[in-house]
Amino acid sequence: MDLFMAGLGFGLIAASIMALAAVGFTLQLGVADIFNFSFGAVMTASALAGYEANAAGLNVWLCLPVGAAFGAALSVCLNRAILTPFMHRGAGLFGMVIVTLGLAIVIQNLILAIWGPVYFTYQVDNSSTVRWAGMILTTSQIALAACSAAIMVVLHLLLTKTKLGKAMRATAANADLARTSGIRTSRVNDTVWALSGALCGLGGVAFVINTVSFQAATGTDYLILVVAAAVLGGAGQPYGAMIGALIVGVASEVSATVISPDYKDVVALVILIGVLLVRPRGLMASVDLVQAGGEETIA
Amino acid sequence: MSSAMQFYVSTLLVYAGVYIIAAWGLNLQFGLTGILSFAYILFQSIGAYLAAVFSLGPPASRADVETYAFGANLPFPLPILVAAAGGALLAAVLGPIVLRRLRSDLQAITMLVMSLIATDVISSDQSLLNGATGLSLVPAPLSTVLGLSSLQYQWFFVGMVAVICAIVYFVMNRITSSPLGRALRTVRESERSAAAIGKNVFALRMRAFIVGGAIAAVSGALLVLFIGSWAPGSWLYIETFVLFAAVIIGGSGNNLGVAIGALVVPVGSVEAVQYLPSFGPPGMIDALQWVVIGLLLLLFIWFRPTGLLPERRRYFPVSDLRNGRQAASEADR
């Protein structure tokens, strides 16, 4: 039982961090309709921006906004310069998977070529340990979870209470209909990439504050868990992604402590496969991801 | 040629043959039939593992070196045939699960995730196939029987790979130029049209998936018999990406184009580079070659999505079609 509670504690922390990235990923999948494989590489790049700021003397908590800004800027640039042009040139859904995968490999290996195969380590202040109901957490982990929860609340308000949020949800549900109703979908698109890029950057930095060190492939490795959370929640569903992150985060951490750490990722991957095969719409999806295939152009 | 040079050239030739065979299998699945086979490397891997354990002998005989669940000491061509059967079987099992009507990007992700799960499980489980360390010291086929010098044996292996290459090319060519190939292309271009003219889309895809899987397994078997070791690090999902890059850059759907693609991408930019003098900090060349492959693929998708040697356009004049099937299949040729 103690083991279970300890795992649950780690799982809740992992979930709150994962939720940041998963919501960002699902926004891209839903609104921009791109399965963005380079998301993980952008996470690594943002974490690296945070690392450089940290190494220059900035407090590690202030690296979060640095990573967010960097992720937002990089995502908007990548979308404008590469992804949208490829989409307009007729790369189909699968073509975009190949394009973003290629992009991920380029970004990741540029980092590797320039900085070398090293582990980057954040200077995190020593934090005290808090024990509560069998969970053993550090204060910085609790602070991370609190940050994440606050961001989720802000995001919730943005999506439900503002015109922009309404426009985003409308574009995700049906871009053509949204355009006919007078929503400037291209501007909405830019906003979505900035917002999701910021979440991506936050997720990257938060992940590294929790694990302390990272290397060039960390983001891409982590991405699969993020994808599992996003797909489980239903593509394009921010709330679904939050719930998905909760399930994937808790399931993988609890299984790591209860079964074996070796199979931590496998549990998340099996959840992902199960969802894809049994219920590809996810828990909360309204966007139709199931369609008769074969009518797309390849690449 | 000096003997060092001969070693270099013969090794490259074997790699070239192996990658060309692997790219042909993927061309059958993806280029011809349009299956987004993101778990492709699993087929190569199962072929390699099977060929390895069926050359190494029973597990007990090698207990001091490595652990694996099963094995036997089969005479030469059999390990390769067992590998091919294993690849076909894996495709037959995976096919019904993955070839469902998922949105194509999610279908690709499903297979990619399967590939990741397999890597995780095989790496973690020491008893099945020696875990992350992998199998090693796989005996070279016929090396004791032939009694050749190591250099002569290199060239013998080149010859063997060439023969198998020729056989696979013959099979591929038969498939692409036959009515079956035409049906597969129809499935790729429009699943609904294929179904509308009475083709069993699922059965056609399964056929391509299984034959492609067997071909991939043969390439894996040849590779492991040549290099003598195989570990999870040899078949990361990134290797699937390399083969996709080879097929797309060479000319998806065109057998000769794909062979050229295999020479350009895996052989030209991955294997050949290993023998170049190194510069920069360690690992820099590796990283840069991945950057080059990624950029090359993006440039090709942008400027020349049909690849170096595009698939030949096939015309079927209406008058020929009226005259029946015979004329149509001739126009196809």
Side-chain angles (χ1 to χ4, degrees):
Chain A
M1 194 59 197
D2 279 355
L3 219 51
F4 176 80
M5 287 308 288
L8 184 67
F10 291 135
L12 289 176
I13 301 299
S16 63
I17 293 168
M18 196 184 294
L20 293 169
V23 171
F25 186 85
T26 210
L27 282 175
Q28 294 180 357
L29 191 54
V31 181
D33 207 15
I34 290 182
F35 196 102
N36 184 6
F37 228 104
S38 57
F39 196 87
V42 174
M43 268 201 276
T44 312
S46 308
L48 192 57
Y51 167 80
E52 290 294 346
N54 186 228
L58 199 66
N59 182 285
V60 73
W61 295 100
L62 292 175
C63 294
L64 279 168
V66 170
F70 184 85
L74 184 58
S75 297
V76 171
C77 291
L78 285 180
N79 177 47
R80 284 250 185 115
I82 297 172
L83 300 181
T84 305
F86 267 104
M87 287 262 261
H88 286 172
R89 215 174 159 98
L93 291 170
F94 176 69
M96 291 313 292
V97 172
I98 293 268
V99 167
T100 54
L101 188 55
L103 204 55
I105 287 170
V106 170
I107 296 173
Q108 185 179 320
N109 284 288
L110 274 178
I111 294 174
L112 209 53
I114 297 170
W115 277 270
V118 288
Y119 274 88
F120 306 96
T121 308
Y122 276 25
Q123 298 300 321
V124 184
D125 308 335
N126 289 332
S127 54
S128 48
T129 317
V130 179
R131 287 165 189 271
W132 180 72
M135 301 181 197
I136 310 154
L137 304 171
T138 63
T139 42
S140 64
Q141 283 180 321
I142 293 168
L144 276 178
C147 279
S148 168
I151 289 164
M152 291 300 133
V153 171
V154 171
L155 207 63
H156 166 73
L157 295 176
L158 179 75
L159 286 173
T160 51
K161 305 287 181 199
T162 65
K163 235 177 174 173
L164 177 67
K166 219 172 182 180
M168 273 193 238
R169 285 186 294 144
T171 311
N174 187 335
D176 290 334
L177 195 59
R179 204 175 301 119
T180 356
S181 317
I183 294 170
R184 293 192 182 175
T185 47
S186 63
R187 189 181 289 175
V188 170
N189 223 0
D190 267 351
T191 322
V192 164
W193 280 93
L195 185 63
S196 60
L199 287 166
C200 172
L202 279 174
V205 177
F207 180 73
V208 177
I209 292 179
N210 190 28
T211 59
V212 180
S213 68
F214 69 105
Q215 39 106 11
T218 302
T220 308
D221 292 345
Y222 183 51
L223 178 65
I224 282 296
L225 298 186
V226 173
V227 171
V231 171
L232 177 60
Q237 299 290 314
Y239 304 115
M242 295 176 199
I243 297 172
L246 194 63
I247 296 174
V248 171
V250 170
S252 59
E253 290 296 336
V254 167
S255 64
T257 47
V258 176
I259 308 172
S260 149
D262 288 345
Y263 290 98
K264 181 177 154 185
D265 287 355
V266 174
V267 170
L269 295 177
V270 170
I271 293 177
L272 175 55
I273 286 256
V275 175
L276 283 169
L277 295 178
V278 178
R279 192 180 160 81
R281 290 152 192 259
L283 297 174
M284 298 182 63
S286 57
V287 184
D288 194 7
L289 285 176
V290 188
Q291 63 170 40
E295 305 295 332
E296 303 154 9
T297 48
I298 294 154
Chain B
M1 256 196 295
S2 71
S3 65
M5 192 67 193
Q6 285 200 40
F7 263 108
Y8 175 64
V9 171
S10 54
T11 305
L12 267 192
L13 283 175
V14 170
Y15 274 112
V18 165
Y19 276 112
I20 287 173
I21 294 172
W24 276 334
L26 185 59
N27 189 36
L28 179 56
Q29 293 185 347
F30 166 69
L32 205 62
T33 320
I35 300 170
L36 311 170
S37 191
F38 259 33
Y40 186 70
I41 205 67
L42 286 189
F43 300 119
Q44 192 181 42
S45 178
I46 195 176
Y49 276 125
L50 284 174
V53 294
F54 285 112
S55 304
L56 280 168
S61 67
R62 320 224 3 119
D64 50 336
V65 187
E66 48 207 339
T67 51
Y68 45 94
F70 57 93
N73 204 345
L74 299 181
F76 164 60
L78 284 180
I80 295 182
L81 296 178
V82 171
L89 189 67
L90 181 67
V93 172
L94 283 188
I97 304 174
V98 294
L99 300 182
R100 290 160 60 120
R101 300 184 130 213
L102 266 177
R103 198 171 102 155
S104 62
D105 49 355
L106 296 186
Q107 195 178 47
I109 299 304
T110 309
M111 292 205 222
L112 181 66
V113 170
M114 285 183 168
S115 174
L116 291 171
I117 292 180
T119 311
D120 270 1
V121 171
I122 301 287
S123 308
S124 312
D125 192 340
Q126 186 74 24
S127 65
L128 192 59
L129 290 160
N130 210 30
T133 322
L135 300 173
S136 52
L137 301 173
V138 180
L142 300 179
S143 56
T144 47
V145 185
L146 291 170
L148 298 171
S149 73
S150 59
L151 190 56
Q152 285 168 326
Y153 186 78
Q154 286 270 42
W155 288 109
F156 161 75
F157 210 99
V158 170
M160 189 172 78
V161 171
V163 169
I164 294 176
C165 244
I167 297 171
V168 174
Y169 181 71
F170 177 74
V171 172
M172 284 297 295
N173 224 9
R174 290 295 293 213
I175 294 175
T176 40
S177 59
S178 69
L180 172 64
R182 197 166 57 226
L184 293 176
R185 280 189 290 272
T186 317
V187 170
R188 178 192 67 195
E189 294 299 329
S190 167
E191 198 178 313
R192 280 176 222 178
S193 318
I197 54 171
K199 299 290 180 196
N200 184 342
V201 172
F202 178 71
L204 283 167
R205 288 181 141 185
M206 278 303 284
R207 241 196 270 185
F209 203 50
I210 289 172
V211 177
I215 291 175
V218 169
S219 80
L222 286 173
L223 192 55
V224 79
L225 294 178
F226 184 69
I227 57 180
S229 61
W230 195 253
S234 331
W235 48 282
L236 300 174
Y237 76 90
I238 200 99
E239 302 291 334
T240 306
F241 176 78
V242 169
L243 286 170
F244 265 93
V247 169
I248 291 172
I249 288 172
S252 191
N254 183 323
N255 288 330
L256 281 179
V258 165
I260 294 171
L263 292 180
V264 173
V265 182
V267 181
S269 56
V270 181
E271 302 303 341
V273 176
Q274 292 180 356
Y275 301 94
L276 288 180
S278 59
F279 62 93
M284 186 169 164
I285 298 182
D286 280 354
L288 284 180
Q289 94 199 8
W290 285 110
V291 173
V292 169
I293 293 176
L295 287 179
L296 202 60
L297 183 67
L298 291 182
L299 289 175
F300 262 90
I301 294 180
W302 184 264
F303 289 108
R304 205 176 160 84
T306 49
L308 286 171
L309 271 190
E311 185 178 22
R312 193 163 52 78
R313 279 178 168 276
R314 292 167 166 84
Y315 295 101
F316 308 103
V318 178
S319 59
D320 283 357
L321 290 181
R322 285 211 189 97
N323 294 337
R325 289 186 129 189
Q326 187 61 43
S329 65
E330 267 165 24
D332 193 13
R333 206 163 291 139

